[in-house]
């Protein structure tokens, strides 16, 4: 038998060996090796122990899968600059390791939810699930009414479980803390080539903060634009007449503020818009351009339409003020602060910060009404059973005159 014929007869063997060889190689290269690398990465960068889901959170996860939330929402911050800018530090392997079956998703009709935990208040979530458009007017997210017994303030257990699950998203990474971020940096250098890392883990623009540096907003914003922006972004909660009675207001505690019965300094408005109101459904609006925030300040500061709600009171007599001050110091200063700046010794422990009376002022009978009823969802209780009518009247007069509009004062001094 000559040489070429033998080679030809052996070719089936060569081909099948090569085939099996390539198969093994590709399984090793595309399956085993990346899996091992991921496992190593996960081990090196992850915490030793990840908090497991509670039964309620685990049920919520099943509901999330059942309702098809993953068709519109991803749960992975990718290693791209756009993702890092909007959603923060990219998702690491260990974060999704225990997620079986995983909920990473592939389509983003809505925003990524990998770090949804801690970005919104529970009442916001429930109102949003019941009727997304009542809090985000342009939303295309479908309502999930069947999780509720007739209203956003009557969630069934399923809605509570689902929100409990949403609150877990990103929790493990947050709990890993600085130590976790230091470990994360050891993996990122290969993936992060050419990308600027996010300075914060979760830069969600709506995430309320208790404090935070507020940039200077342009003064004298465009009022007409402010009105338009208000209708688009704020009227759903604060109502088209600014009286805190928009379609989304019903299920929120505390309810959206009646802006029409307040006067604010520009600084207070800038702070509320930039940082949101922590502990409430009031989101921050850090994704709006500064000029737009300036326009909103212009509109909210002076709503005009509601001037009938405001009636100037006669100046209280000096003796009355001293009486009001005594009531204040005995009952209110521990929260609202000795000077009314919202910085009493008990303030830091409260989820919703006590009002700073130096930068905002209530009008007409509103302060009296709040003293009677308290503010549901905050530590501001009703004083009806603890203070007499005269005491309430006196302390209401007292807090109103604590208001100091520095800008206004400076302007007036300049004129003099
Ligand atoms: C048809 C697509 C779609 C489906 C299905 C969907 N969503 Fe959404 N979702 C959106 C869109 C669009 C937004 C952005 C507008 C808004 O906030 O309503 C959004 C926003 C959100 C937000 C706010 C996120 C943020 O960063 O502000 C949460 C939380 C959320 N969805 C949860 C859910 C849950 C839970 C489900 C399943 C029960 C779900 N979504 C199903 C489209 C969808
Ligand atoms: C999801 C509902 C919601 C939306 C949307 C919303 N707010 Fe609010 N807002 C609230 C709630 C709730 C509070 C807090 C009430 C409290 O502290 O008792 C609040 C508080 C405020 C405050 C602080 C008031 C105070 O007395 O301290 C201002 C100012 C404000 N909102 C303005 C706006 C503006 C302007 C927009 C639109 C850009 C807006 N809000 C959008 C719900 C909302
Ligand atoms: C336990 C702490 C605490 C005490 C004590 C307290 N408050 Fe408050 N107060 C709050 C909190 C918290 C808020 C809610 C802020 C919010 O809703 O954003 C508030 C809100 C208010 C408001 C509404 C302000 C606005 O602009 O909407 C008034 C008025 C008020 N308090 C008056 C008083 C008076 C007067 C006293 C004493 C008789 C008093 N408070 C005692 C915590 C307290």
């Amino acid at each position: 038998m000559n040489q070429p014929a033998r080679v030809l007869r052996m070719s089936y063997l060569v081909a099948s060996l090569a085939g099996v060889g390539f198969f093994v190689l590709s399984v090793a290269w595309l399956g085993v090796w990346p899996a091992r690398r991921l496992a190593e990465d996960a081990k090196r960068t992850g915490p030793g122990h990840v908090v497991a889901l509670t039964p309620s959170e685990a049920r919520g996860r099943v509901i999330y899968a059942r309702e098809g939330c993953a068709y519109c929402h991803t749960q992975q911050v990718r290693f791209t600059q756009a993702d890092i800018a909007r959603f923060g530090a990219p998702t690491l392997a260990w974060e999704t390791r225990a997620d079986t079956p995983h909920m990473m998703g592939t389509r983003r009709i809505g925003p990524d939810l990998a770090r949804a935990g801690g970005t919104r208040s529970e009442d916001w979530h429930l109102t949003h699930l019941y009727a997304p458009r009542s809090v985000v007017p342009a939303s295309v997210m479908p309502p999930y009414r069947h999780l509720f017994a007739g209203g956003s303030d009557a969630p069934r257990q399923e809605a509570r479980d689902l929100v409990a699950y949403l609150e877990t998203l990103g929790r493990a990474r947050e709990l890993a803390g600085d130590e976790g971020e230091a470990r994360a940096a050891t993996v990122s250098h290969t993936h992060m080539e050419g990308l600027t890392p996010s300075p914060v883990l979760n830069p969600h623009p709506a995430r309320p903060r208790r404090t935070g540096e507020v940039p200077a907003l342009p003064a004298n914003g465009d009022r007409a634009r402010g009105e338009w922006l208000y209708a688009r972004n704020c009227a759903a909660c604060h109502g088209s007449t600014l009286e805190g009675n928009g379609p989304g207001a019903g299920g929120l505690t505390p309810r959206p503020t009646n802006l029409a019965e307040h006067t604010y300094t520009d600084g207070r408005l800038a702070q509320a818009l930039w940082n949101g109101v922590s502990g409430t459904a009031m989101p921050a609006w850090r994704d709006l351009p500064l000029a737009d925030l300036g326009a909103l300040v212009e509109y909210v500061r002076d709503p005009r339409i509601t001037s009938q709600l405001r009636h100037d009171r006669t100046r209280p007599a000096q003796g009355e003020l001293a009486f009001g001050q005594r009531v204040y110091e005995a009952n209110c200063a521990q929260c609202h602060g000795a000077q009314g700046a919202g910085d009493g010794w008990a303030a830091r422990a409260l989820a919703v910060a006590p009002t700073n009376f130096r930068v905002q002022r209530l009008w007409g009978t509103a302060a009296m009404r709040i003293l009677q009823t308290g503010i549901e969802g905050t530590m501001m209780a009703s004083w009806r059973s603890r203070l007499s009518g005269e005491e309430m009247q006196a302390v209401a007069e007292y807090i109103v005159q604590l208001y100091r509009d520095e800008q206004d004062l400076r302007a007036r001094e300049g004129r003099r």
Side-chain angles (χ1 to χ4, degrees):
M1 208 164 30
N2 57 13
Q3 200 69 7
R6 231 165 84 191
V7 170
L8 271 182
R9 254 195 298 131
M10 294 294 286
S11 65
Y12 76 95
L13 199 65
V14 173
S16 46
L17 274 181
V20 170
F22 272 117
F23 179 71
V24 170
L25 188 71
S26 55
V27 166
W29 194 9
L30 300 174
V32 179
W33 185 65
R36 282 194 53 179
R37 248 196 70 178
L38 269 182
E40 269 167 31
D41 263 7
K43 213 168 147 196
R44 196 178 60 235
T45 55
H49 174 72
V50 176
V51 181
L53 297 187
T54 64
S56 167
E57 292 161 0
R59 288 197 300 270
R61 188 172 188 280
V62 172
I63 296 162
Y64 184 93
R66 182 192 78 196
E67 298 296 339
C69 310
Y71 293 131
C72 289
H73 291 287
T74 56
Q75 282 187 24
Q76 49 171 331
V77 185
R78 298 167 303 175
F79 283 85
T80 66
Q81 198 63 58
D83 263 31
I84 293 172
R86 171 65 175 77
F87 301 112
T91 303
L92 295 177
W94 69 264
E95 288 185 76
T96 50
R97 198 159 57 146
D99 203 31
T100 37
H102 71 72
M103 298 288 174
M104 282 179 186
T106 49
R107 290 192 77 190
R108 273 190 193 156
I109 292 171
D112 185 85
L113 297 181
R115 307 206 199 291
T119 56
R120 304 277 191 179
S121 64
E122 188 190 11
D123 55 348
W124 186 91
H125 275 307
L126 292 174
T127 304
H128 184 246
L129 282 170
Y130 184 73
R133 287 192 172 193
S134 69
V135 280
V136 185
S139 181
V140 295
M141 178 160 144
Y144 291 89
R145 299 258 156 89
H146 55 285
L147 305 178
F148 295 82
S152 61
D153 50 354
R156 294 185 200 280
Q157 188 57 39
E158 291 208 323
R160 291 193 185 284
D161 292 342
L162 182 56
V163 173
Y165 169 65
L166 291 175
E167 279 304 309
T168 68
L169 299 177
R171 180 172 69 187
R173 181 75 177 263
E174 293 220 3
L175 286 177
D178 292 343
E179 210 181 308
E181 291 316 300
R183 282 195 303 264
T186 64
V187 69
S188 295
H189 69 275
T190 43
H191 305 301
M192 290 296 288
E193 229 162 272
L195 303 175
T196 323
S198 168
V200 277
L201 180 60
N202 183 357
H204 196 294
R207 191 180 210 192
R209 302 186 295 205
R210 188 74 176 251
T211 53
E213 200 70 18
V214 181
L217 302 185
N220 304 324
D222 177 350
R223 191 173 183 282
R225 178 150 179 90
E227 187 168 2
W228 182 80
L229 285 164
Y230 180 88
R232 265 179 80 97
N233 297 300
C234 326
C237 290
H238 289 284
S240 51
T241 57
L242 293 97
E243 288 168 277
N245 54 1
L252 300 180
T253 42
R255 286 177 62 91
T257 308
N258 179 339
L259 298 170
E261 60 184 19
H262 279 90
T263 320
Y264 299 98
T265 65
D266 287 4
R268 167 65 189 136
L269 288 176
Q271 212 237 343
L273 289 173
W274 188 254
N275 288 331
V277 180
S278 185
T280 79
M282 170 70 182
W285 299 89
R286 291 188 292 271
D287 52 341
L288 291 183
L290 292 184
D292 281 357
L293 294 180
L296 278 166
V297 166
E298 193 69 24
Y299 180 67
V300 172
R301 167 174 11 98
D302 174 28
R304 279 183 216 173
I305 28 176
T306 48
S307 50
Q308 77 276 9
L309 277 171
R310 306 177 164 183
H311 58 84
D312 269 321
R313 48 182 79 231
T314 47
R315 272 184 82 86
Q318 212 52 40
E320 239 176 87
L321 268 188
F323 176 46
Q325 183 171 7
R326 279 199 302 282
V327 178
Y328 180 86
E329 278 161 4
N331 299 289
C332 324
Q334 75 268 37
C335 290
H336 289 285
Q339 314 296 322
D343 56 356
W345 56 263
R348 290 187 61 173
L350 305 183
V352 180
T355 306
N356 176 346
F357 296 124
R358 303 185 75 78
V359 295
Q360 70 184 63
R361 157 170 71 171
L362 277 161
W363 283 82
T365 50
M368 263 311 263
R369 190 193 69 232
I370 286 174
L371 280 169
Q372 302 261 2
T373 60
I375 301 177
E376 202 190 336
T378 78
M379 288 306 274
M380 177 64 193
S382 158
W383 290 88
R384 202 181 345 207
S385 58
R386 286 176 284 176
L387 295 179
S388 69
E390 291 90 76
E391 283 171 324
M392 280 197 262
Q393 191 66 49
V395 78
E397 302 279 7
Y398 176 73
I399 57 174
V400 167
Q401 54 82 47
L402 291 171
Y403 181 74
R404 293 279 177 280
D405 193 338
E406 305 293 348
Q407 226 175 335
D408 197 44
L409 285 179
R410 269 202 302 276
R412 249 182 289 160
E413 258 153 37
R415 251 180 273 134
R416 245 185 249 138

